[in-house]
Amino acid sequence: IKVPKDSDEECVKLVNQCDFGLGSSIFTADAKQGLKVGRQFRTGMLTVNDYASNYLVQSLPFGGCKESGFGRFAGIEGLRALCLERSIAVDRIPFVKTSIPTPIDYPIDQVKGYPFTESLIQLFYNESIFGKIKGIFGLIKNS
């Protein structure tokens, strides 16, 4: 597509309003400006002053976005898609054990469970010192 008025903004708008986003190429006399404009494209791949060379380099991830689909194959990203990533937590210090507080252990205490959890959230996430202190007192009250 030839961009009307040779406008970078119009170019980005035209590319991004497309329903598909597998790959894109931008051809320009100024490769640095082409890269700057191309980085704004919502596509899975980009080439500047070339076409489809990213498909030929098998160590690069291949894939798109929007109606072109999400996900990648090839490259490290493609290998990761075949893996099960998960978090595993293990007590590492023998005499320090993680335990679930009684109000939220199974079966959950219907009266104290919710206020205990709310107080725990206040303690960890409230930005004010007053809110954190209120959380501590709530934990003590509902323990």
Side-chain angles (χ1 to χ4, degrees):
I1 299 173
K2 180 152 176 52
V3 178
K5 302 176 192 162
D6 202 25
S7 163
D8 292 346
E9 292 80 19
E10 187 65 23
C11 177
V12 172
K13 181 180 170 187
L14 284 169
V15 171
N16 290 341
Q17 72 185 14
C18 179
D19 290 337
F20 299 94
L22 181 59
S24 58
S25 297
I26 188 166
F27 293 88
T28 176
D30 183 350
K32 188 175 180 181
Q33 181 64 16
L35 183 60
K36 181 180 175 186
V37 172
R39 285 183 187 272
Q40 299 174 62
F41 294 170
R42 294 277 302 136
T43 59
M45 299 170 289
L46 169 69
T47 56
V48 178
N49 293 333
D50 200 340
Y51 172 75
S53 60
N54 47 8
Y55 181 69
L56 299 173
V57 181
Q58 291 297 299
S59 62
L60 293 176
F62 181 90
C65 59
K66 302 181 194 175
E67 293 296 318
S68 294
F70 284 92
R72 301 287 180 266
F73 70 85
I76 293 170
E77 293 78 1
L79 287 173
R80 284 191 180 131
L82 300 173
C83 299
L84 171 63
E85 294 186 42
R86 60 184 169 170
S87 300
I88 300 175
V90 178
D91 287 332
R92 293 174 53 172
I93 303 171
F95 57 87
V96 176
K97 297 289 182 195
T98 305
S99 61
I100 298 173
T102 306
I104 57 174
D105 197 2
Y106 187 80
I108 296 175
D109 184 329
Q110 295 294 320
V111 176
K112 293 185 174 186
Y114 178 77
F116 182 89
T117 304
E118 187 176 39
S119 297
L120 195 60
I121 291 170
Q122 288 295 323
L123 173 63
F124 287 123
Y125 297 106
N126 197 306
E127 293 181 3
S128 77
I129 192 70
F130 176 74
K132 290 182 182 298
I133 292 170
K134 184 178 173 185
I136 290 170
F137 281 111
L139 289 173
I140 294 167
K141 177 182 175 185
N142 294 292
S143 290

